[in-house]
Amino acid sequence: MKKVGLYSAISLLAVSVSVSGVAAAQSVSPEANTSPVSSAAPTTEGSPAGQLGEIVVTAQRRSENLQRAAVAVTAVTGDTLKLAGVTNPTQLTSIVPALQVSTAAGPYNLFYLRGVGNFNSNAFSDSAIAFNMDGVFVGRPSSTTGFFYDLERVEVVKGPQGTLYGRNATGGAINVISHKPDLGKFEVNISAEYGNYDALRIDGAVNIPIGDRAAFRIAGIRVKHDGYMNNDMDDQDDWGTRASLRVDPTDTLKIVVSADYFNQGGNGVGSTPRLAANGVATPSTLKVDDRIDLLSPEGQAFLTSQPNGTLGRNFAAIPLPQAQPFLDNKYWGISSTIDWKTPVGTLTVIPAYREARLNYGSFTPGFYVREKSKSDQKSVEARFATTDDFPLRALLGGFYYKENTNDPFSIVNTQNYAYYRSETLSTESKALFGRLTYAVTHDFRLSVGARQTWEDKSFDGSLRGITRICLAATCPSAPPIPYNTTPPAVPVVVPTFGTPPYGGIISFNPDSSPSLIQTEGTIATNDDRKFKKFTWRAGADWDVTPRNLIYASYETGFKAGGFYYSADNPATPNKEGVYRPETISAFTIGSKNRFLNNRVQVNLELFRWRYKGQQIAHLGIDTQGNIIFPIENVGKGTFQGFELETRFAATATTTLTADLQYLDAKYNSFVYTTPNLNGGAFNGTGCPNAGTPGQVYTVNCSGKRPPNAPKWTLNLGGQQTIPLGSGNLVFDARAHYQSKSLTGVEFLPIEDQRAYWLVDGALTYYSPGRRYSIGVFANNIFNKTVISNTFPTPFSNFYSSTLRPPRTFGVRAGANF
């Protein structure tokens, strides 16, 4: 099947080149139409009758027609995002075939692009996918929600980034571009929708001209809905606003200043507990279709029937409302984009400041997670791009980024084990980057790019870990560790049991019985590390005709290392609480084509990525016996395949799309260690043991398919416009298919999400000129239950799965003045 997919892609590329001569006779000027039409959405709005529209992107830091951009990028317009109901990054999964986005505990979003990504559920590691808002890199994955309103478009750039972007990334970049103030134009737009789950979304914008050379724009959103789980978890209760001022002092100088604020509330993401034996779901497990949350009465009944590892008893019921999950996160930022055009090129400077205050509690992974922290980031990017008037063109830039995170307390509690963290982290990143392009002929160009990155990271913190252990066959009255924000008191010291089996000291008998002990260990860390890397890119592109482009590139990427808690001596190789950088090399060859008088679009990309040192977080143990959650580099992986994007303007009122991705992905080398907590042969994963289990398992997952890397992904779309006597009736339909994928990093059958289809639809009436609209919509029409993430609960036999939204439907209306 791998060869079939690869040969099919090569054949399609050959076909696209062979028909270029036919297209030359039928093509029109690429700049004939610049209506903002998404390459990922069917629409003919604003384009000549029966022809496909165009979209202008800035993925290469130049404004250019998407079909002329020699880079693998998918662009989605703001109108398409609104039509699909997108209000947060996770909903991009069904819009962009290469992208998988889900949510871990609290506000942490997990980004995977073609299987490349990281499990980032704290501030210790960066995302492999760079998230940029209006050209400003957003450092924390927990701070990437709150931007999805009043947008021009979202660009998803695939592959390593760095020679054109401020912050380097190994997997790609998501560029969110807001609607900027328009000069000389007064405009008001507002839209509202209401649906099941008492869902309400209201968003709008006002654009106010200030003379001929300035304009002010303010936009806002309010979105809420009841929980999708059976106890009001998976709800949403958010609001945000953004204000922008544009001033053009001269014809060659443009200044845009923007500020935004977002408040994230509600209960947060819920999860369904599922029972498994050696990683395989048992017949008695709860069914994900029932959307039973862990904290619901049914979920609590399940929880209290399950044994809790070292505690010697079943899990205790979770006390509510003491441990009630919640989100109370606040984000704000201010930035400026200054563009100065000169006769030889454009200078762009983007200074920015952002701040996030996290305050949440969550049971999403099946155990209690609590965090209260503050992070702030300062950044400035400057770049100069020459004009295209000469054969040699250049883009040169510099980037500075400083982030500080103050986390006064973070807690994880599984009733028998808990840790209490307090730390400060700092990252300072500096880079010089650039790209040179030489037009050998008018139609053929060669390019080379380079980046030098220097990163300094520091970490100062302490972790106190507590484990309660039953030394008898059972301890039915053993008290679980309470869900407090501070560690439990230490009333009695019992030194008679010798060295505890899980590190630290024996502090007291929680039930005043020698059958139950509590062990404690404290890890204090103060460290700083420097990382640096030179990365580069080489490429070529050829305009076969004005409507047919072929391009190829080879690019390398880098993401710095960082820290985790460990009591090991810093001199111990690879065990000092520091993980190393990860790197990637990517080869791409592609073709972008328009045929049949601009009615048919066929874009094809073949890619091969080599990933080295992927940073993975997992349960571990240090050489002192402390239970820890290290981030480790786990070897090499290969990601290769093709992506085919097609659009067809069948008639003046009918547009069809089909976007297909084939991904062949595997870990060539993936070996790590995890503690042996059950004394048996099962290591808690679907991977074999390397050697005989001792205090730790050596787990060998080499040859496995990575998580969030479905082999096949297909998006289908269609739009039919029905002209009426006054206005138009427009029917939009979308379908998303993906084959089986892994939703966890343990490679267990219970983490598999089977192949599935999602189907959405909308029927909308637009008045003449689209001044007013009213319609109905339905998403996930067939109510398919889809697993987003699966987490193992340590010291137990059950797992917790988060779910994507169920069927939602409602009505929406809009007005433009």
Side-chain angles (χ1 to χ4, degrees):
M1 192 65 184
K2 296 177 183 178
K3 292 184 178 179
V4 171
L6 181 60
Y7 292 163
S8 299
I10 295 173
S11 299
L12 286 168
L13 183 61
V15 169
S16 71
V17 175
S18 66
V19 298
S20 296
V22 176
Q26 298 173 332
S27 63
V28 296
S29 170
E31 285 73 34
N33 181 350
T34 56
S35 64
V37 179
S38 168
S39 67
T43 177
T44 57
E45 177 68 19
S47 52
Q51 293 189 13
L52 297 171
E54 308 286 358
I55 183 170
V56 174
V57 298
T58 54
Q60 298 193 103
R61 296 310 197 205
R62 297 173 182 269
S63 294
E64 58 187 339
N65 187 318
L66 176 62
Q67 288 299 105
R68 317 310 303 157
V71 64
V73 56
T74 296
V76 188
T77 65
D79 289 342
T80 300
L81 295 168
K82 182 180 289 189
L83 188 67
V86 174
T87 59
N88 61 67
T90 63
Q91 294 162 315
L92 294 175
T93 300
S94 62
I95 305 295
V96 181
L99 190 63
Q100 301 280 313
V101 188
S102 58
T103 302
Y108 285 91
N109 292 313
L110 309 179
F111 296 91
Y112 284 80
L113 207 160
R114 292 177 174 164
V116 173
N118 305 102
F119 187 91
N120 307 93
S121 58
N122 54 45
F124 287 91
S125 60
D126 305 314
S127 175
I129 313 301
F131 189 97
N132 303 297
M133 176 63 193
D134 284 336
V136 177
F137 172 73
V138 179
R140 294 293 101 221
S142 56
S143 300
T144 53
T145 297
F147 302 114
F148 292 86
Y149 61 98
D150 195 35
L151 298 181
E152 285 189 6
R153 65 187 180 278
V154 169
E155 302 171 358
V156 179
V157 191
K158 303 148 195 175
Q161 305 299 315
T163 61
L164 290 175
Y165 285 84
R167 190 79 188 273
N168 46 282
T170 48
I174 300 173
N175 301 325
V176 181
I177 296 98
S178 69
H179 197 132
K180 306 302 186 298
D182 293 318
L183 298 181
K185 181 179 180 181
F186 179 81
E187 178 186 39
V188 178
N189 66 72
I190 186 170
S191 64
E193 64 182 51
Y194 181 79
N196 59 332
Y197 295 97
D198 199 25
L200 175 68
R201 171 176 173 162
I202 301 174
D203 64 304
V206 179
N207 192 93
I208 304 172
I210 306 174
D212 296 331
R213 291 193 172 273
F216 175 77
R217 187 178 186 92
I218 186 168
I221 188 171
R222 175 73 169 102
V223 58
K224 64 179 290 291
H225 62 75
D226 293 341
Y228 296 143
M229 306 297 281
N230 69 332
N231 66 334
D232 210 29
M233 293 298 295
D234 267 3
D235 66 338
Q236 190 172 5
D237 189 3
D238 304 337
W239 67 272
T241 186
R242 181 189 308 120
S244 303
L245 175 66
R246 173 182 172 179
V247 179
D248 291 12
T250 69
D251 293 339
T252 60
L253 180 63
K254 181 175 73 173
I255 302 171
V256 178
V257 180
S258 298
D260 63 90
Y261 177 86
F262 187 74
N263 186 93
Q264 184 182 39
N267 296 319
V269 176
S271 61
T272 291
R274 304 165 65 206
L275 185 61
N278 291 344
V280 180
T282 66
S284 60
T285 190
L286 297 178
K287 303 299 187 291
V288 292
D289 288 343
D290 296 331
R291 294 185 175 269
I292 294 174
D293 186 73
L294 177 67
L295 301 185
S296 69
E298 299 90 336
Q300 293 265 41
F302 173 91
L303 178 69
T304 56
S305 71
Q306 300 303 307
N308 184 329
T310 64
L311 199 56
R313 53 161 291 176
N314 288 352
F315 281 89
I318 297 169
L320 300 176
Q322 176 191 354
Q324 175 66 38
F326 71 96
L327 296 174
D328 184 18
N329 304 315
K330 298 174 173 59
Y331 313 90
W332 70 275
I334 184 169
S335 66
S336 177
T337 301
I338 305 166
D339 290 313
W340 178 36
K341 292 183 178 180
T342 73
V344 294
T346 300
L347 174 66
T348 300
V349 181
I350 308 176
Y353 175 85
R354 298 204 62 81
E355 188 172 301
R357 295 175 181 265
L358 303 185
N359 184 21
Y360 71 90
S362 173
F363 276 94
T364 300
F367 48 85
Y368 188 55
V369 179
R370 178 79 167 86
E371 179 182 350
K372 188 173 185 179
S373 66
K374 173 189 174 183
S375 64
D376 61 74
Q377 64 171 70
K378 311 173 190 69
S379 65
V380 61
E381 178 176 344
R383 60 181 184 268
F384 184 81
T386 64
T387 65
D388 294 343
D389 298 334
F390 303 97
L392 184 62
R393 304 150 193 177
L395 185 147
L396 303 173
F399 176 73
Y400 177 81
Y401 173 84
K402 180 66 180 291
E403 179 187 41
N404 296 295
T405 298
N406 180 22
D407 189 350
F409 70 82
S410 290
I411 302 168
V412 165
N413 188 331
T414 64
Q415 297 193 6
N416 66 321
Y417 171 76
Y419 71 62
Y420 305 82
R421 290 187 355 234
S422 176
E423 67 255 349
T424 59
L425 301 101
S426 177
T427 297
E428 185 177 40
S429 180
K430 294 165 283 187
L432 296 174
F433 57 89
R435 185 178 295 186
L436 295 175
T437 300
Y438 181 70
V440 181
T441 69
H442 178 72
D443 300 321
F444 182 68
R445 295 161 294 276
L446 298 174
S447 64
V448 60
R451 177 191 182 92
Q452 177 63 53
T453 301
W454 301 268
E455 292 206 2
D456 298 343
K457 292 191 174 186
S458 64
F459 171 40
D460 184 5
S462 64
L463 178 149
R464 180 181 175 189
I466 297 175
T467 306
R468 292 186 175 178
I469 305 169
C470 175
L471 301 180
T474 62
C475 296
S477 61
I481 299 174
Y483 293 106
N484 296 330
T485 57
T486 56
V490 184
V492 181
V493 175
V494 183
T496 59
F497 289 93
T499 302
Y502 295 104
I505 61 169
I506 298 174
S507 59
F508 75 109
N509 299 95
D511 65 348
S512 301
S513 165
S515 61
L516 183 71
I517 62 171
Q518 175 169 301
T519 70
E520 298 187 33
T522 299
I523 301 172
T525 299
N526 188 338
D527 201 354
D528 60 85
R529 295 296 170 103
K530 297 180 182 295
F531 306 93
K532 64 179 181 179
K533 186 69 174 180
F534 177 81
T535 54
W536 60 277
R537 178 188 190 274
D541 58 282
W542 176 32
D543 295 323
V544 183
T545 78
R547 285 289 182 183
N548 302 89
L549 170 72
I550 296 176
Y551 63 94
S553 67
Y554 181 86
E555 189 159 7
T556 63
F558 153 83
K559 184 162 76 74
F563 308 98
Y564 60 87
Y565 281 103
S566 172
D568 290 326
N569 190 304
T572 306
N574 301 325
K575 291 288 185 181
E576 69 275 26
V578 178
Y579 60 91
R580 302 182 305 280
E582 65 179 31
T583 60
I584 193 171
S585 58
F587 175 73
T588 301
I589 181 170
S591 177
K592 297 185 177 184
N593 309 275
R594 287 284 178 90
F595 306 116
L596 300 179
N597 196 27
N598 205 32
R599 293 177 56 202
V600 175
Q601 174 178 303
V602 181
N603 293 347
L604 176 64
E605 177 207 358
L606 284 72
F607 59 90
R608 179 178 172 85
W609 299 356
R610 296 298 302 270
Y611 204 6
K612 184 178 179 180
Q614 184 178 12
Q615 299 159 357
I616 296 287
H618 63 88
L619 185 68
I621 186 171
D622 62 24
T623 58
Q624 306 302 309
N626 296 298
I627 301 295
I628 59 175
F629 290 88
I631 300 172
E632 292 186 313
N633 303 87
V634 294
K636 302 177 181 179
T638 301
F639 303 77
Q640 59 189 0
F642 70 85
E643 184 168 350
L644 177 67
E645 295 184 350
T646 63
R647 300 177 63 208
F648 176 39
T651 71
T653 57
T654 306
T655 306
L656 305 173
T657 66
D659 299 340
L660 174 69
Q661 178 180 270
Y662 168 77
L663 177 62
D664 172 26
K666 73 172 183 178
Y667 286 122
N668 304 99
S669 174
F670 186 174
V671 180
Y672 66 98
T673 60
T674 190
N676 183 350
L677 300 177
N678 57 24
F682 179 55
N683 58 29
T685 76
C687 307
N689 295 316
T692 303
Q695 185 184 18
V696 299
Y697 298 106
T698 299
V699 182
N700 186 357
C701 296
S702 302
K704 294 286 188 179
R705 187 177 190 87
N708 296 298
K711 179 179 289 187
W712 292 99
T713 309
L714 174 65
N715 281 6
L716 299 175
Q719 183 183 82
Q720 178 64 54
T721 300
I722 304 172
L724 303 176
S726 177
N728 294 317
L729 192 63
V730 179
F731 174 68
D732 291 279
R734 298 182 308 276
H736 172 81
Y737 168 83
Q738 68 180 54
S739 57
K740 185 177 77 170
S741 59
L742 187 69
T743 64
V745 294
E746 286 71 39
F747 303 94
L748 293 169
I750 198 169
E751 297 174 331
D752 286 340
Q753 168 57 56
R754 297 178 179 177
Y756 68 89
W757 281 95
L758 293 179
V759 179
D760 306 333
L763 183 65
T764 310
Y765 166 77
Y766 294 97
S767 68
R770 293 204 167 196
R771 187 164 186 176
Y772 303 100
S773 65
I774 187 169
V776 295
F777 68 91
N779 295 325
N780 191 3
I781 292 173
F782 299 104
N783 202 28
K784 179 64 179 178
T785 302
V786 178
I787 298 172
S788 177
N789 270 321
T790 301
F791 306 92
T793 299
F795 317 105
S796 75
N797 293 322
F798 79 89
Y799 300 74
S800 296
S801 293
T802 61
L803 308 176
R804 297 200 183 275
R807 176 171 53 226
T808 57
F809 55 86
V811 297
R812 58 166 62 109
N816 297 282
F817 305 99

